[in-house]
Each structure stands twice: as structure tokens, then as C-alpha cells.
């Protein structure tokens, strides 16, 4: 059973470009979460999705950021018109459809905006 | 508003001794707490959890203690080993919330 798969591991974008981060949850997991870790900080919740539904996006910046988890395929975190402040490690986690259970994290995508 | 706080950014412990990592929270709704371990350039790895109906949970060398009245939990690692050197994150959630709220982490260094 493969773990949570994120790709790419590293992504370099110029200011103004779009960044697309992908996450395939563990088999059997229907809940996907995206977290961001800025340098020297903890992980900050961004968005929680189930298949075809955004359940909680309270941590997402209002502009330029969007997320989806389609019926087929991976979850995508999209950042449009990236700025230097978007440089961070973005982690995806997944969990089964049960309350109060641990989430399993992918290895993250390190986004660098130059 | 930092609802989960880890006030010690770093901790150094001699190999073989006990490591104690602390975590405080402010949100009374939290009823499930987790510890994650993170190596550089890797994702967090789940370590141990505790429900608010318990005050202690043990798994091998790792024990988590929960003091609900003080809104405080701690992770004990004994005996500490060099491979335990990592950043440890405390996280909390509650039924119906699903998302995890993380502390800022404590960097543990085990000295051989």
C-alpha cells in the first residue's frame, strides 16, 4: 500500500507563473488535506477536501490559491501568479473516513519562487 | 491566534536519558492530540496519539501524557536514541473538525 504521493518534490517558478502541486492519497483514504510550512514555522492548515467537495478552506488565501479533488485523479493545489512569499513546503495528508484518526503525510513539494 | 503552542524551539538530551517535549493548547474543544516527527526534507510521520478520555498512552519508548485541566500534554521518549533527533510537532483536533492544528515544533537533538 503506497503512502501519500506528492509530486513534484521540488518546483521552481518565476514570479507571475502558475504552480500546480499534485497529491495522491493513500488507498482507501477519501479525505485530503493541504498544509503549508513556511521557513522556521509549523504547519499551517490550508484546505480540507473530500472527493469533488471542498469541506473547509478556511486556511486558504482568498486570492490566487485554489484546490480540487476530482472524482478521478489526484488532488491539485493550484497557485496562480506566484510571488516570492509563496515559497514554502507544501504538504498533503490523507486520512480514512473516520473521526479522530491520524493523517498520513506525503513528503511534500518544496516550491521556490525566483 | 496560536491555539497549539510548543514553547521550546529546541531541546538537547544525552543519549540514553529521557526526552520530554511539551505542548500547550488553548481551545477547549480539542479532544484528540497527536505527535508527529519530522526529518529534514521529509513529510511528518505520525508517532503517537491520545484521546481526551485518557490521560496517558504508551507505545514502546514513547509515552504521551495529557493534563486536560492544565490544557497541557507532553511526549516522553525513554531511552533517547540518536535516531530520535528530529523536529517534533504537537497537533490537535476535535470531532467534527477533522483538520489538525499544529504547534510550531521542537527540534530535538540527541547527543551521543
Amino acid at each position: 500500500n503506497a503512502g501519500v504521493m506528492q509530486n513534484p518534490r521540488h518546483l521552481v517558478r518565476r514570479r507571475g507563473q502558475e504552480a500546480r502541486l499534485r497529491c495522491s492519497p493513500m488507498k482507501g483514504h477519501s479525505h485530503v488535506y493541504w498544509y503549508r510550512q513556511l521557513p522556521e514555522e509549523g504547519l499551517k492548515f490550508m484546505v480540507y477536501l473530500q472527493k469533488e467537495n471542498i469541506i473547509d478552506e478556511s486556511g486558504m488565501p482568498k486570492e490566487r490559491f485554489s484546490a480540487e479533488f476530482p472524482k478521478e485523479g489526484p488532488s491539485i493545489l493550484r497557485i496562480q501568479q506566484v510571488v516570492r512569499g509563496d515559497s514554502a513546503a507544501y504538504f498533503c495528508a490523507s486520512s480514512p473516513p473516520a473521526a479522530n484518526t491520524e493523517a498520513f503525510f506525503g513528503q511534500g513539494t518544496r516550491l521556490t519562487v525566483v | 491566534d496560536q491555539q497549539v503552542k510548543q514553547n521550546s524551539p529546541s531541546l538537547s538530551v544525552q543519549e540514553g536519558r529521557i526526552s520530554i517535549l511539551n505542548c500547550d493548547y488553548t481551545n477547549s474543544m480539542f479532544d484528540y492530540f497527536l505527535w508527529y516527527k519530522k526529518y529534514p526534507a521529509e513529510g511528518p510521520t505520525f508517532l503517537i496519539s491520545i484521546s481526551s478520555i485518557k490521560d496517558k498512552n504508551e507505545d514502546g519508548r514513547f509515552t504521551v501524557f495529557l493534563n486536560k485541566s492544565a490544557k497541557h500534554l507532553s511526549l516522553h521518549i525513554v531511552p533517547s536514541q540518536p535516531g530520535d533527533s528530529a523536529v517534533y510537532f504537537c497537533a490537535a483536533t476535535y470531532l467534527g473538525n477533522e483538520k489538525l492544528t499544529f504547534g510550531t515544533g521542537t527540534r530535538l537533538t540527541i547527543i551521543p
Side-chain angles (χ1 to χ4, degrees):
Chain A
N1 186 9
V4 178
M5 304 299 292
Q6 287 188 251
N7 68 82
R9 289 293 308 276
H10 300 275
L11 182 61
V12 179
R13 284 285 178 266
R14 294 187 184 279
R15 280 180 294 171
Q17 290 185 317
E18 177 179 286
R20 279 196 191 197
L21 289 66
R22 293 175 181 76
C23 169
S24 296
M26 286 180 70
K27 190 174 180 180
H29 286 190
S30 56
H31 298 200
V32 166
Y33 313 81
W34 285 94
Y35 290 83
R36 175 166 66 174
Q37 184 181 24
L38 295 169
E40 305 303 320
E41 292 189 16
L43 287 84
K44 301 287 189 194
F45 168 79
M46 298 182 74
V47 63
Y48 160 44
L49 309 104
Q50 295 178 18
K51 283 285 186 183
E52 300 184 279
N53 282 305
I54 297 175
I55 307 301
D56 182 346
E57 56 181 348
S58 58
M60 285 270 273
K62 293 287 185 283
E63 297 178 353
R64 303 188 297 108
F65 284 72
S66 62
E68 62 178 10
F69 188 17
K71 189 177 180 182
E72 302 290 339
S75 175
I76 306 284
L77 179 66
R78 183 182 291 111
I79 311 171
Q80 295 177 302
Q81 299 173 332
V82 295
V83 300
R84 288 243 170 91
D86 297 333
S87 296
Y90 292 82
F91 291 98
C92 170
S94 72
S95 68
N100 281 356
T101 184
E102 63 267 21
F104 293 85
F105 282 80
Q107 293 198 303
T109 294
R110 185 162 298 278
L111 172 66
T112 302
V113 179
V114 297
Chain B
D1 176 28
Q2 191 69 30
Q3 296 186 59
V4 178
K5 300 176 186 178
Q6 293 177 257
N7 292 319
S8 298
S10 62
L11 176 69
S12 294
V13 174
Q14 206 78 34
E15 181 180 357
R17 307 291 278 267
I18 184 171
S19 296
I20 300 176
L21 295 97
N22 294 303
C23 178
D24 297 291
Y25 61 96
T26 58
N27 190 339
S28 302
M29 293 186 68
F30 288 143
D31 62 7
Y32 192 69
F33 305 89
L34 308 92
W35 284 94
Y36 282 83
K37 175 180 178 180
K38 186 179 181 303
Y39 293 119
E42 292 187 14
T45 303
F46 170 74
L47 207 52
I48 193 168
S49 63
I50 188 166
S51 165
S52 60
I53 62 173
K54 294 185 173 182
D55 55 19
K56 176 182 173 181
N57 189 26
E58 193 171 348
D59 183 2
R61 296 185 298 114
F62 302 92
T63 303
V64 55
F65 294 92
L66 175 63
N67 182 336
K68 283 199 309 182
S69 60
K71 293 193 178 68
H72 176 84
L73 64 155
S74 60
L75 174 68
H76 293 211
I77 307 172
V78 56
S80 299
Q81 299 174 354
D84 296 331
S85 293
V87 177
Y88 289 78
F89 289 98
C90 169
T93 186
Y94 57 87
L95 186 62
N97 183 37
E98 279 88 18
K99 70 188 181 198
L100 297 174
T101 301
F102 282 86
T104 50
T106 297
R107 183 178 302 277
L108 176 65
T109 303
I110 304 303
I111 305 163

